[in-house]
Every structure is written in C-alpha cells, then in structure tokens.
Amino acid sequence: LQYNPGWNSSSVNLLHVRAVGPGDTLHYVWSSIGAPAVLLVATESRSSALRINWTQLLSPAPSGAIWIDPPSSVVYSAAVVFTKVFEYSEAKAPQELFYPTYDLSDFSWDSINHTLNHTALTAEFSGVPATDLSGSFSNGSLAFRVTAYETSGRDQPLPSLLHTANSSKVEFVLAGVAPRGNGSRFVLEVATVEETGVMQKLHSTRSIDDEFTPTIFEMLSLVAESHNDSSALSFLQWKATAYGSRTPRREDNIQCRSHGLQAANWTLPRSTIVHAYFGEGVGSSYTSSAINISFGGEDGQVYQEKRYLSWSALLGFGQPPKDTFSPLVISIMAVALGTPMVMLLVGSCLVLFAQRKRYSEYEPIN
C-alpha cells in the first residue's frame, strides 16, 4: 500500500494498492479527490509503476496526470465511481418523497493516513458534506472502507464474501447520520467507466446454500465482458443484503435491492482520478454505466432504530469468485437424500424376500 506516492501533504487522499504476480501486476488506485473512485489497471509486467503529476492532478485540468509506466504494459483498465447517495421516504406520502441528494464529490474527506494499516491491508475514507444545511451529519459520517487481499479466503464478518488475491473489498458505511424523514431509505449510485469494446452485464445467482450468509440466497455480479469473446475482465460482486450493526448478525439484516443497469448518458460528477487517467474521452471514447443499490426493509425502520448501515462488495479482475456447496451442506444433502433411498432399497429387498419365502412353504395346487 502506498499513500499519496510522491506527495508529502495529507490534505488529499490517494491510495495505491499494488499486487505483483508471477508475470503481471495489478494496480488499484483509490481516491477521494472529487467523487470517491477506484482505478483498476492490469499490466503484463512485474515492474510496471504508477506515475502521478501532482501539480496537474490538483489543477482544474487534470487530464493526463495519472499513467502507468511503461504504458505499453497495460492490458486492461477501468474505473468504479461512487457518485451519489439518495434518501427518500414513503412514510406519509402516496408517492416516494426524495430529499436533496448527497453528491459525494462535494464531501469533505478526512485523511486516511491515521486509518492506514499496512499489516491488515486496510484503510478508511471517511467524510461529511462540505455544506450540511440539514444537520444530518452533525453526529455522523459516511465512509468507504477498503481491504486488499494477498491470498484466497473468506471474510469472517457477514456477509462472509469469498475472495481471491485478484480482488479487493469495499464497504460502504453510514454511521450516526440522522435520517431526514420517518422510514427513510438510502440509495447508493455506482458508476463504471470502461474502454470501447467492453460492456457491463448484471448477473444474479441464487443458491440453496446460505451457510455463510444465513437467509440470503442471492449473489449479484456486475461483470465487464469483452464484446469479442465474452470473457470477464473485471467485476463488482455483492450479496443481496446490508447490515445494521458494527458486529453484524443475521437479525441485523437490511434488505438490499439493485435497480437496473443503465447507460450513464449524463456527465459523471467530478472524479479527478478518472479524468486524470482516461482524459476527457469519458463518455465518448469510453463508455459509462450506472446502477442504483437501495437499502431498507418494507418500512425502512432498521436504520431508523440503529443509525448504522454497512454494505460490502468485492471488486477485482477476471471472473468473480463462485461459491460451491460446502462439505457441511453436501453431507446434509447426502443424508437427507440418501436415507430415503437406503430405506427404499432395504424395504424392497425385505418384501421380495418375504414373498419368496411364503411361496416356498406351499405346494402348488393342481
């Protein structure tokens, strides 16, 4: 992990996560300069490096301020931008009542230097609106917690996402933020930027195995696929749940829904690192998509009571991890399905044996 490489000030946040493989390097560049965003860059060189022109990056025209050296080593690049948070209520209105939008590019972000953990490979971007007219953030904050991985495994806290060394986790957290209405629900808007020839697809996978995330049977994946061969290039993956506690349990579940994937025909909010890397071609040379992810039950009371919401997602390169049936579930299924079969076979054998024995004791009648 590198914090603000080549820059001594902590007035802005840029975190570079560099993962070196046998013959390649994966770069994750997280930043809260402008709207919170992450660049994902895969290279076919073990020695590829991130370069930043800080003076240009912090200027009104940041195009070209971030690049990978050597540029010829880059085989794939994309970006994920967390653009806005919407709040709406249905409590006392026949239709949804939307409150003024929280534009994340207008937030003031704390330095991540004091949250950066080089051992656990974690950091936290925490912020509040630069102008909080409603006072909702007087005792609260919005945060994005980032975790990198060195090996494959599974997270211990719910929703216990399965991860690989090619992926990282981001956790969206609302803590202590006062809702502006009774039964308020929150919606996070997530936008992606892809090169021409790459398209985003939303996949939903259901499984009867909920051992690691009880009562949640659906996994969603936003996958970037190549037009040429439909191969997966990158992904954003999450379980269809959020939680209302710092130490989540099953009963802290908050309903999570995804509201369609759409082409982002509008102009992306100011996200300095995206424009610094992709240039001014975002929206023309590069394609943008967006999806809304909402949190809240039927009455939206979970957040109202606990004033805490956390939603975790995995992002990375290649195919998203796929859960398989665990040995415990396989054993239960084997017992559940095998026992009736054994009883049926034993019963059939006993019936045949009884019939054969009965007829053997009598002489046939002429």
Side-chain angles (χ1 to χ4, degrees):
L1 306 184
Q2 295 175 299
Y3 175 60
N4 288 352
W7 187 253
N8 294 325
S9 173
S10 60
S11 59
V12 295
N13 291 318
L14 188 145
L15 176 66
H16 178 214
V17 182
R18 183 170 178 263
V20 182
D24 56 7
T25 304
L26 304 179
H27 298 270
Y28 295 88
V29 184
W30 300 86
S31 178
S32 60
I33 305 173
V38 55
L39 295 174
L40 295 87
V41 185
T43 70
E44 54 185 3
S45 169
R46 285 176 51 87
S47 59
S48 62
L50 175 71
R51 305 298 185 196
I52 303 173
N53 183 330
W54 280 97
T55 303
Q56 186 177 353
L57 178 63
L58 300 178
S59 72
S63 179
I66 296 178
W67 70 98
I68 298 294
D69 190 24
S72 60
S73 66
V74 176
V75 294
Y76 174 73
S77 56
V80 176
V81 188
F82 302 98
T83 53
K84 299 174 183 177
V85 172
F86 304 98
E87 181 182 352
Y88 69 96
S89 175
E90 293 180 335
K92 295 182 180 180
Q95 296 180 346
E96 297 172 350
L97 171 64
F98 277 84
Y99 299 95
T101 303
Y102 293 120
D103 190 333
L104 300 185
S105 63
D106 293 330
F107 270 47
S108 175
W109 301 92
D110 296 336
S111 170
I112 68 169
N113 201 23
H114 65 281
T115 66
L116 191 58
N117 188 323
H118 289 272
T119 303
L121 303 178
T122 59
E124 180 176 321
F125 296 82
S126 179
V128 297
T131 304
D132 184 18
L133 298 177
S134 65
S136 297
F137 281 80
S138 57
N139 295 311
S141 64
L142 180 151
F144 292 94
R145 295 173 182 166
V146 176
T147 303
Y149 300 108
E150 292 181 309
T151 59
S152 299
R154 187 183 295 277
D155 274 354
Q156 291 299 320
L158 292 174
S160 303
L161 294 173
L162 181 67
H163 61 79
T164 68
N166 291 344
S167 59
S168 295
K169 184 181 77 170
V170 59
E171 183 181 1
F172 168 66
V173 178
L174 279 179
V177 178
R180 289 173 285 183
N182 294 326
S184 282
R185 305 180 191 181
F186 293 92
V187 180
L188 175 65
E189 182 182 77
V190 182
T192 63
V193 179
E194 295 288 346
E195 300 171 339
T196 304
V198 178
M199 63 182 299
Q200 290 280 353
K201 288 187 177 181
L202 182 62
H203 301 284
S204 173
T205 305
R206 295 183 179 271
S207 172
I208 63 172
D209 186 356
D210 68 339
E211 176 187 359
F212 299 105
T213 312
T215 72
I216 306 301
F217 302 95
E218 184 180 16
M219 175 78 82
L220 294 111
S221 300
L222 187 60
V223 182
E225 298 181 356
S226 171
H227 274 298
N228 297 330
D229 53 10
S230 298
S231 59
L233 301 173
S234 67
F235 64 87
L236 181 71
Q237 183 184 61
W238 64 95
K239 287 272 193 176
T241 184
Y243 292 95
S245 172
R246 297 179 187 274
T247 55
R249 299 167 298 174
R250 186 178 70 176
E251 53 266 33
D252 299 318
N253 169 62
I254 296 177
Q255 192 174 33
C256 172
R257 292 178 178 173
S258 302
H259 300 271
L261 177 65
Q262 297 181 351
N265 297 323
W266 61 92
T267 303
L268 282 174
R270 183 172 59 89
S271 179
T272 305
I273 64 167
V274 172
H275 291 92
Y277 183 83
F278 291 103
E280 299 302 326
V282 176
S284 56
S285 301
Y286 300 91
T287 58
S288 300
S289 303
I291 187 171
N292 286 342
I293 301 168
S294 67
F295 313 100
E298 294 302 323
D299 55 3
Q301 293 299 315
V302 177
Y303 182 82
Q304 190 84 18
E305 296 171 359
K306 300 187 177 181
R307 299 285 177 93
Y308 190 88
L309 183 151
S310 69
W311 170 77
S312 299
L314 201 69
L315 53 87
F317 298 88
Q319 287 280 359
K322 292 184 179 180
D323 265 318
T324 56
F325 287 113
S326 64
L328 175 62
V329 172
I330 292 175
S331 301
I332 293 173
M333 291 175 64
V335 171
L337 298 177
T339 302
M341 291 298 296
V342 171
M343 293 177 65
L344 181 62
L345 289 174
V346 171
S348 300
C349 291
L350 289 175
V351 170
L352 291 174
F353 179 76
Q355 287 181 342
R356 183 177 179 183
K357 184 177 180 180
R358 182 172 67 249
Y359 287 118
S360 63
E361 293 176 352
Y362 296 93
E363 292 294 331
I365 297 176
N366 188 348

